[in-house]
Amino acid sequence: MPAATPPSRLQSRAYSELRRLIVSGEFPPGTFLSERQLAQQLEMSKTPVHVALERLEAEGFVSISAQQGIVVRGMSVEDIVDHYELREAVECWTVRRLAGRLSEPQQKLLQENIDQQQVALRDDDLSALMRLDGEMHCLLCSFLGNREIMTMMERLQDKILQVIIRVNHTDRTRPTESVAEHVQIVAAVLAGDGAHAADLMAEHLEAGKRRILNPSRFPAS
């Protein structure tokens, strides 16, 4: 079976930029997209944009149909539950496995991230805080050296970020709680208490899921 053709530089740039616009909320869920307008905005032809959109559709960021055209997808309740169940399985196992086994450089990276989160929280810099939050979770997974887990984590982080941005702007207590939970998780990992770290991670993810699934955001139909 022939190897898949790698994306061209323009295709990669179109994909990265469109994914950034969706994840950042600049193209919120429900936005209708036009290949022609996107090509003009990115200053390239429609072909790399078309390829990028097909890739984003496969990853669940957009829907493409003959009836509706191209629409940015939001996350349904079912999507969010699936997301958190998968993350809990992976991240609880990860911290349990890593506890007490990190090298000094790895410990330093984690502590620096926590310190930066606390600075961002003090400065009320939500953008930096959300970036650092995602980095901490991905850092932990990266220490395993498992590329499949890292690829999965990066995709999951980007998809849920669309929702977390809305939550953090409407519920200003969650960032403070989240940073405190991160501090406890990292402390347990560094102390070598894998069982406690896994329990703390499960509670942390459950708390985030509860805030996102607040009935005010997903009212019963």
Side-chain angles (χ1 to χ4, degrees), residues 79-153:
D79 290 335
I80 292 167
V81 171
D82 289 349
H83 166 99
Y84 274 98
E85 286 180 351
L86 183 54
R87 280 188 62 185
E88 184 173 339
V90 171
E91 294 193 65
C92 291
W93 176 81
T94 294
V95 293
R96 188 185 296 273
R97 187 174 177 85
L98 289 175
R101 300 181 182 180
L102 297 183
S103 66
E104 285 190 18
Q106 289 172 333
Q107 293 179 42
K108 184 179 178 182
L109 283 172
L110 266 184
Q111 192 57 57
E112 286 175 349
N113 176 280
I114 291 294
D115 292 344
Q116 289 170 15
Q117 285 189 51
Q118 291 173 325
V119 170
L121 182 64
R122 183 194 66 205
D123 294 343
D124 198 28
D125 188 343
L126 285 179
S127 178
L129 200 52
M130 286 185 284
R131 174 179 58 79
L132 290 162
D133 182 322
E135 283 181 6
M136 191 210 79
H137 286 273
C138 286
L139 257 182
L140 286 166
C141 290
S142 74
F143 294 155
L144 290 173
N146 186 312
R147 287 179 295 178
E148 291 297 325
I149 288 178
M150 276 306 300
T151 298
M152 181 205 72
M153 278 298 295

Side-chain angles (χ1 to χ4, degrees), residues 191-218:
D193 192 343
H196 188 44
D199 287 343
L200 289 169
M201 180 64 80
E203 291 169 7
H204 171 64
L205 293 172
E206 183 64 29
K209 181 176 72 175
R210 282 198 306 270
R211 292 298 179 95
I212 289 173
L213 293 179
N214 185 304
S216 67
R217 296 185 182 90
F218 291 91

Side-chain angles (χ1 to χ4, degrees), residues 1-208:
M1 183 176 178
T5 304
S8 70
R9 187 168 57 182
L10 277 179
Q11 289 168 4
S12 296
R13 183 165 74 83
Y15 167 79
S16 297
E17 181 61 13
L18 291 176
R19 181 165 168 161
R20 182 192 69 78
L21 290 166
I22 292 170
V23 170
S24 68
E26 292 182 58
F27 288 166
T31 301
F32 287 88
L33 304 177
S34 157
E35 282 188 11
R36 180 179 58 80
Q37 292 175 349
L38 291 173
Q40 290 176 346
Q41 181 175 340
L42 299 180
E43 298 182 337
M44 60 179 66
S45 70
K46 288 172 60 177
T47 299
V49 170
H50 179 79
V51 173
L53 288 168
E54 287 185 332
R55 183 175 171 187
L56 289 166
E57 181 186 33
E59 294 176 355
F61 288 98
V62 301
S63 297
I64 303 175
S65 69
Q67 293 76 27
Q68 285 192 307
I70 307 162
V71 185
V72 176
R73 282 192 59 192
M75 292 187 76
S76 67
V77 171
E78 292 77 13
D79 290 335
I80 292 167
V81 171
D82 289 349
H83 166 99
Y84 274 98
E85 286 180 351
L86 183 54
R87 280 188 62 185
E88 184 173 339
V90 171
E91 294 193 65
C92 291
W93 176 81
T94 294
V95 293
R96 188 185 296 273
R97 187 174 177 85
L98 289 175
R101 300 181 182 180
L102 297 183
S103 66
E104 285 190 18
Q106 289 172 333
Q107 293 179 42
K108 184 179 178 182
L109 283 172
L110 266 184
Q111 192 57 57
E112 286 175 349
N113 176 280
I114 291 294
D115 292 344
Q116 289 170 15
Q117 285 189 51
Q118 291 173 325
V119 170
L121 182 64
R122 183 194 66 205
D123 294 343
D124 198 28
D125 188 343
L126 285 179
S127 178
L129 200 52
M130 286 185 284
R131 174 179 58 79
L132 290 162
D133 182 322
E135 283 181 6
M136 191 210 79
H137 286 273
C138 286
L139 257 182
L140 286 166
C141 290
S142 74
F143 294 155
L144 290 173
N146 186 312
R147 287 179 295 178
E148 291 297 325
I149 288 178
M150 276 306 300
T151 298
M152 181 205 72
M153 278 298 295
E154 288 168 359
R155 179 177 60 82
L156 288 174
Q157 285 282 354
D158 277 355
K159 291 192 75 174
I160 201 67
L161 186 57
Q162 297 168 273
V163 184
I164 292 175
I165 287 172
R166 300 204 308 273
V167 172
N168 283 348
H169 278 289
T170 57
D171 183 353
R172 302 306 291 269
T173 62
R174 181 56 193 155
T176 301
E177 294 173 354
S178 184
V179 171
E181 291 160 10
H182 289 163
V183 170
Q184 292 179 322
I185 292 166
V186 169
V189 170
L190 297 182
D193 192 343
H196 188 44
D199 287 343
L200 289 169
M201 180 64 80
E203 291 169 7
H204 171 64
L205 293 172
E206 183 64 29

